[in-house]
Amino acid sequence: MALTVAIHQPHYLPYPGLLDKLDQADLFIWLDDAAFTRGGWQNRNWIKTHHGRHLLTAPVVHTGRQERLTAARLDYTLGWQNKHRATIEQAYARAPHLNLCDDLLNLLYAPRTWPTLADLNLACSTELARILDVRTPAIRSSRLRPARAAKTARLVELCREAGATTYLAGDGSRTRYLDTTLFEQAGITLQWQNYQPPAYPQQHPKHGLLDNLSALDLIANLGPDALPALRTRRAPASAVAA
């Protein structure tokens, strides 16, 4: 039976392209045991405020060593949860569908602590998928067999364990790290996502249309039309030539 699998690290307040990738797959694997990289997108993302782009970062405790997302601990000494919620609510106060994000904000910014960055990000992405009505089943890589490979070989390993016939790859991996020959050798068809950011009415129009903000921006502005907007802009996934 054909099975399209997508794999991605969980991100904090992820951009719509990640949710689009989730929506296109038959099975999604959250790569939650990937290494945490400072300065990347695992613990931060953009929203749009009256000043323009604004970066929200969930601070991670410095330990002096590289850790997995499943071990990276959040720094709660900085009061970031209240600051993030206040910034979001102020930025989207006039957004027509901000109320759809109430459960998300309550989940992320309630007076509680998340054990790890992976736990925060997975809760965030799962709730965003629920709001969008994306129903793709998902599993955590940390709950599968321990990794025996790295980089592309790790993705192939996970695809094999899941029984994938096709791997849906994000566009950013075209030029960065993906070794396409390993999928060919494994008998797994490789397809590119071909994500196209949707154009939609945003708050604070003086700053123009900003792409690749958090999916929260898309939902707050479009509400029930958010997922159709993603699907309408979707270019057909393209197979990699042998």
Side-chain angles (χ1 to χ4, degrees):
M1 182 177 68
L3 182 72
T4 297
V5 170
I7 303 171
H8 204 288
Q9 298 174 19
H11 288 182
Y12 176 59
L13 296 174
Y15 88 122
L18 195 157
L19 281 301
D20 174 75
K21 189 176 181 182
L22 175 64
D23 185 50
Q24 291 192 55
D26 298 317
L27 175 68
F28 199 91
I29 300 177
W30 291 109
L31 195 62
D32 66 333
D33 56 356
F36 170 62
T37 304
R38 294 191 180 276
W41 295 105
Q42 296 161 326
N43 67 321
R44 61 181 188 166
N45 232 306
W46 298 106
I47 63 169
K48 189 178 182 182
T49 72
H50 67 283
H51 295 298
R53 286 188 187 272
H54 181 82
L55 192 62
L56 294 179
T57 301
V60 173
V61 175
H62 286 265
T63 63
R65 62 182 183 276
Q66 189 173 51
E67 294 182 311
R68 303 289 177 182
L69 292 172
T70 48
R73 292 180 295 111
L74 293 152
D75 188 347
Y76 287 99
T77 66
L78 303 176
W80 60 272
Q81 288 174 295
N82 289 338
K83 293 176 183 176
H84 285 200
R85 180 165 196 160
T87 301
I88 290 169
E89 290 180 337
Q90 182 179 31
Y92 296 102
R94 296 185 178 180
H97 303 286
L98 179 60
N99 64 301
L100 293 182
C101 299
D102 286 347
D103 287 345
L104 174 70
L105 301 184
N106 291 334
L107 175 69
L108 299 182
Y109 307 127
R112 60 170 293 179
T113 58
W114 295 93
T116 68
L117 178 60
D119 293 306
L120 169 71
N121 290 355
L122 284 163
C124 180
S125 294
T126 299
E127 180 60 20
L128 284 169
R130 185 196 67 78
I131 297 170
L132 285 170
D133 198 28
V134 174
R135 303 183 184 187
T136 304
I139 55 177
R140 300 172 64 157
S141 60
S142 63
R143 295 180 179 172
L144 300 174
R145 283 184 288 181
R148 299 180 298 278
K151 298 183 179 180
T152 301
R154 172 60 170 156
L155 302 180
V156 173
E157 182 180 73
L158 289 169
C159 284
R160 279 175 162 166
E161 187 165 353
T165 56
T166 298
Y167 175 63
L168 179 66
D171 304 309
S173 62
R174 286 179 189 258
T175 58
R176 285 189 294 167
Y177 66 86
L178 206 66
D179 183 351
T180 61
T181 61
L182 294 183
F183 287 95
E184 182 183 351
Q185 293 167 5
I188 298 170
T189 299
L190 180 60
Q191 290 188 335
W192 300 116
Q193 181 184 0
N194 291 331
Y195 172 67
Q196 299 294 325
Y200 58 95
Q202 294 179 344
Q203 303 302 296
H204 319 294
K206 67 180 180 180
H207 297 292
L209 179 65
L210 302 182
D211 287 339
N212 298 329
L213 302 170
S214 167
L216 184 150
D217 186 276
L218 180 72
I219 293 168
N221 285 296
L222 288 188
D225 293 325
L227 184 57
L230 282 178
R231 289 174 171 172
T232 299
R233 284 284 292 159
R234 185 177 296 164
S238 60
V240 173

